[in-house]
Amino acid sequence: MREEMNRLDWSFTDTFLRPRIKGNVLLDMNPMSKANILASLTVSAFILFDIVYAFILSGVMVLLAACAGRLRSFVSVYWKIVVFFASLLFLVRAAFTNGSEVLFQLGGIHVTPEGIHLGLISAGLVMAFSGAFILFIKTTEMEELVWVLEQKGMSHTFSYIVLSAFQTIIDLGKSAQTIMDSQKCRGIETEGGMMTRAKAFIPILGPLVLGAISNAEEKTIAMDARAFSSPTKHTSLMLLKEPPLAEKLVVWTFDLALLALIAWRIYTWIG
């Protein structure tokens, strides 16, 4: 028996004993370090309230997504934010903000230099904030974030709720796509205008909801089998490496720069 055990390939089990490494600096960065840096950059944009800085920061988010190898998935979500929210906010601000000079007027719409400036800075801030949030989501696995939060003392029950909420959204999206594909194979029109898509989507809500309920029941049984409610310390099959000194120094640098920026802004306001 001992000889048979020695002949077994333990490479699969060894993968759970070593920290998870993806081979990319941004992807391997500790989730809390990543959140700290992105939050510092976002807050700095709101403190400076500068058009050029906000748009440059938005470009930096795109560049970081490319460096992380997540450019396609990042842009697929980011462009919708830019088109719908940032553009709409710019138009509203530019058209309805009072100013010293009216450049264009049509009914209640009056475009002023102050309105254009406020619209541009508002759009830039939305793009910077959205870019940082989407970049964090696209470069961070939720199970890694939850694992780090548990190591810092968060309840495993709350961490499961957070992880399950994100996973449920992903599962529902995949289930909806599977059902839509099966409907398409039966000859049902699922592509076209808004009404055509709505008619094709409404019938899948029933199977989608029933499938979600069934999955919730299966997860409950699996949690009971793994003694999820046990008061003892929980173990995990995942391990992340400790943040290296260089990563900590980068985080401290961004934090100190943000504190210095806040102090400078307060000083200028008082002055």
Side-chain angles (χ1 to χ4, degrees), residues 57-262:
L57 189 57
S58 302
V60 169
M61 299 302 171
V62 178
L63 181 61
L64 290 176
C67 294
R70 297 290 190 270
L71 182 61
R72 184 182 296 273
S73 59
F74 175 84
V75 173
S76 65
V77 179
Y78 191 53
W79 77 270
K80 300 175 183 178
I81 301 294
V82 175
V83 171
F84 292 103
F85 292 99
S87 300
L88 180 61
L89 184 59
F90 168 74
L91 293 175
V92 171
R93 290 287 194 179
F96 298 103
T97 301
N98 296 325
S100 58
E101 180 183 358
V102 177
L103 302 178
F104 172 80
Q105 184 169 2
L106 179 62
I109 298 176
H110 46 276
V111 179
T112 63
E114 291 81 0
I116 294 176
H117 181 271
L118 186 58
L120 286 174
I121 187 61
S122 299
L125 292 177
V126 169
M127 291 171 58
F129 173 79
S130 303
F133 181 77
I134 297 172
L135 180 64
F136 180 77
I137 295 297
K138 294 299 181 181
T139 59
T140 306
E141 296 185 17
M142 285 301 105
E143 60 180 3
E144 295 181 359
L145 175 61
V146 168
W147 185 86
V148 172
L149 293 177
E150 280 193 20
Q151 300 304 308
K152 294 187 176 296
M154 188 176 72
S155 169
H156 67 275
T157 302
F158 183 75
S159 65
Y160 171 77
I161 293 174
V162 174
L163 183 60
S164 179
F166 281 97
Q167 190 60 43
T168 300
I169 296 174
I170 297 174
D171 293 341
L172 287 177
K174 292 181 179 179
S175 299
Q177 186 60 46
T178 301
I179 298 173
M180 291 290 283
D181 291 340
S182 64
Q183 296 284 68
K184 190 184 300 184
C185 293
R186 297 187 182 98
I188 300 176
E189 185 65 33
T190 60
E191 297 179 354
M194 185 68 69
M195 293 301 298
T196 302
R197 292 177 179 269
K199 290 178 182 179
F201 183 75
I202 291 176
I204 76 172
L205 292 179
L208 197 62
V209 172
L210 293 177
I213 295 175
S214 176
N215 290 337
E217 183 179 1
E218 292 176 358
K219 289 180 180 179
T220 302
I221 296 174
M223 289 167 59
D224 289 338
R226 296 172 183 174
F228 183 79
S229 302
S230 174
T232 58
K233 183 179 180 180
H234 286 216
T235 58
S236 176
L237 292 176
M238 183 180 63
L239 180 64
L240 297 181
K241 67 176 183 179
E242 287 291 327
L245 179 60
E247 182 176 316
K248 294 180 180 180
L249 290 175
V250 171
V251 174
W252 293 340
T253 300
F254 275 90
D255 289 342
L256 291 176
L258 179 62
L259 292 176
L261 182 61
I262 294 175

